Amino acid sequence: MVDQLTVFLENSEGRLAKLCRALADAGVNMDALTLMDTPEYGVVRIICQDPAGARDALTEKGYRASLTKVSLIQLPNRPGALADLLGILDDLDIPVEYGYCFSVERENAVDVLKISDPAAASKATFAIEEAGFKILTLADLQG
C-alpha cells in the first residue's frame, strides 16, 4: 500500500489552480490527480512521489491535507481488465471504498483502490497477485 495525498478544498473559482501552483512551488510532481466535488467543497486525491512532503507543504499554506493508504494495481490496458479485478474482490467480499484509474503506458493502466479494512486489504493483495495482476509501489511509477 502507498500513501495518497488527500486535500479538501473550498469549491470556489481558482482554488484547484492555486492548489496545483502550491504543489509546483514545493517541487511536487503529480503522477495522478482526481477531483470529486459538491456545491460546497471538493476532495482532491493525488498520487505523488513524496506524499508526506507534499502534505506538509500544503499544511504550511493553510490547506487541509492528509494521507490515506491505497493500493496501486497494474492491469492490462484493455476492455474488461478492471471488471476482472473488481470481480475478484467482489467474489471475496472485499469492500472497495473508492477507486480511480490512470494510464501510464499504452499496454498497462493503474487502478488506485481504497480498501479500508486492513485484513481485507491483505487478503486482497494475495488474491490480486494470484490472478496475475501486479501490486505497485511509488517507485514503480517512475519506471
Side-chain angles (χ1 to χ4, degrees), residues 3-143:
D3 286 328
Q4 167 193 263
L5 178 63
T6 302
V7 185
F8 295 92
L9 288 179
E10 174 188 331
N11 194 354
S12 62
E13 192 171 318
R15 194 75 170 129
L16 181 60
K18 289 176 185 170
L19 168 70
C20 290
R21 175 54 51 208
L23 288 171
D25 290 347
V28 175
N29 187 40
M30 296 178 278
D31 292 302
L33 177 146
T34 185
L35 171 65
M36 297 179 352
D37 71 329
T38 69
E40 295 83 34
Y41 66 92
V43 178
V44 181
R45 294 184 170 114
I46 299 168
I47 301 295
C48 62
Q49 292 301 308
D50 183 12
R55 178 205 51 209
D56 295 346
L58 290 176
T59 300
E60 286 178 17
K61 294 199 176 264
Y63 289 91
R64 288 185 48 211
S66 62
L67 300 180
T68 305
K69 293 287 185 193
V70 296
S71 296
L72 299 179
I73 304 152
Q74 180 178 295
L75 49 150
N77 194 0
R78 63 162 173 79
L82 181 57
D84 294 343
L85 172 62
L86 294 175
I88 291 165
L89 298 177
D90 189 47
D91 288 347
L92 294 170
D93 293 322
I94 296 172
V96 175
E97 245 181 76
Y98 62 81
Y100 55 97
C101 301
F102 60 96
S103 181
V104 292
E105 56 190 36
R106 185 167 283 290
E107 294 82 29
N108 295 302
V110 177
D111 189 48
V112 180
L113 294 179
K114 170 67 167 97
I115 301 169
S116 58
D117 177 10
S122 178
K123 183 178 173 183
T125 297
F126 178 76
I128 288 165
E129 290 176 341
E130 283 290 303
F133 297 106
K134 182 179 177 186
I135 304 293
L136 301 177
T137 66
L138 288 175
D140 292 323
L141 295 180
Q142 295 300 300

